[in-house]
Amino acid sequence: MKNDADEKIYRKGRGIYQFLSVIILTLLLVAGTLALGPIIVRTAKDPEQFRAYINSYGFAGRLIFIGIQMLQVIFALIPGEIIEVGAGYAFGPWEGLFLCMAGCAMASALIFLLVRKAGRRFAEMLMSSEKLEKLKFLHNEKQLTFIVFLLYFIPGTPKDLLTFFIGLTDMKPSTFVWMTTLARIPSILSSTYAGHTLGVKNYTATIVIFAVSAVVGLGGILLYRFITEKHATRAAVPPKEET
């Protein structure tokens, strides 16, 4: 009986902890979005101002940018392409790529560990239960590594939101970080090159890169939907039995 009482106390305390965690994390999400939003708007309106702002800090500007990139990944409702274009504009295509990759890797590792610690409740803050159910096929260990790499490699997929789900799988943190960071390279590099060509006023190249990226991104979105819907159809019966 004493063990049962202790278990009830533990579950009650755990419930209060999870409830407060959701409230705190939601407040952080709103605060982060409000803080990062003006920087994104400024970059979109005047890339030259963004470059001057970052470069005014010297080497510390690189660290500031990595922090901005981390915030973008953590608060995944904010589009990352604008930040990546800004990186290419301010630092060039290759240094911009490196800085974006560093920010993505650190933020992804942080999110992964938070989700692994806090569980599904944390992931549901940014992804609905329905979306999580569609990604349930990722729990299949035999195809997990390949599918995760593919989803991060394909342009147009919600990579930052996917990060909140993959922490619920059995994938090792180190495997997740290095694999997804490498898979992001083509998508990030296209954006940093677009920013670089914009900075050197090669507008023809900029338009071509944006046009190709848009077409490839649309194809990626359609492919992502096909993959998730295909596996959701296969797994349609088990979720009904669980409820």
Side-chain angles (χ1 to χ4, degrees):
M1 295 294 292
K2 186 176 180 179
N3 290 335
D4 292 340
D6 291 341
E7 181 68 19
K8 288 181 180 179
I9 293 173
Y10 169 77
R11 290 184 178 277
K12 183 177 180 180
R14 183 69 174 172
I16 294 173
Y17 168 78
Q18 290 179 338
F19 176 74
L20 291 176
S21 297
V22 170
I23 292 177
I24 293 171
L25 289 169
T26 301
L27 291 175
L28 289 174
L29 175 63
V30 174
T33 302
L34 292 176
L36 189 55
I39 296 176
I40 292 177
V41 172
R42 185 190 310 164
T43 304
K45 288 183 177 180
D46 189 354
E48 185 62 39
Q49 184 181 5
F50 176 77
R51 175 160 59 183
Y53 169 76
I54 290 294
N55 288 333
S56 67
Y57 289 92
F59 178 76
R62 274 71 177 168
L63 301 179
I64 292 173
F65 180 83
I66 291 175
I68 292 173
Q69 180 67 76
M70 289 181 66
L71 287 175
Q72 184 279 316
V73 174
I74 294 171
F75 303 106
L77 298 178
I78 299 170
E81 288 76 12
I82 296 178
I83 300 296
E84 293 163 5
V85 170
Y89 193 96
F91 306 112
W94 295 105
E95 185 179 3
L97 169 67
F98 173 78
L99 294 174
C100 288
M101 288 175 60
C104 287
M106 288 188 284
S108 296
L110 177 61
I111 292 170
F112 187 96
L113 294 175
L114 284 173
V115 173
R116 183 62 59 85
K117 181 71 175 179
R120 184 184 177 103
R121 192 180 292 260
F122 178 71
E124 286 181 344
M125 290 180 59
L126 290 179
M127 294 186 73
S128 65
S129 298
E130 293 76 14
K131 289 182 178 179
L132 287 175
E133 287 299 323
K134 284 185 178 181
L135 295 173
K136 202 171 183 179
F137 68 90
L138 290 175
H139 284 295
N140 188 330
E141 293 184 8
K142 293 181 179 180
Q143 60 183 357
L144 177 60
T145 301
F146 172 74
I147 292 295
V148 169
F149 181 86
L150 182 63
L151 291 177
Y152 277 79
F153 182 80
I154 297 172
T157 59
K159 298 175 180 62
D160 299 330
L161 289 177
L162 284 170
T163 302
F164 282 85
F165 174 83
I166 298 172
L168 301 174
T169 69
D170 295 327
M171 180 174 284
K172 294 181 180 180
S174 57
T175 300
F176 168 74
V177 172
W178 74 257
M179 182 179 62
T180 56
T181 301
L182 290 178
R184 287 177 184 263
I185 290 178
S187 177
I188 295 176
L189 187 58
S190 64
S191 296
T192 57
Y193 252 108
H196 171 67
T197 57
L198 183 64
V200 297
K201 296 181 172 54
N202 187 350
Y203 301 123
T204 300
T206 304
I207 293 172
V208 170
I209 293 173
F210 280 141
V212 172
S213 298
V215 172
V216 175
L218 178 60
I221 292 172
L222 295 176
L223 182 58
Y224 171 75
R225 289 182 179 178
F226 172 77
I227 293 173
T228 54
E229 290 176 3
K230 177 181 177 180
H231 287 86
T233 301
R234 290 180 180 176
V237 176
K240 291 182 179 179
E241 292 178 349
E242 291 176 4
T243 56

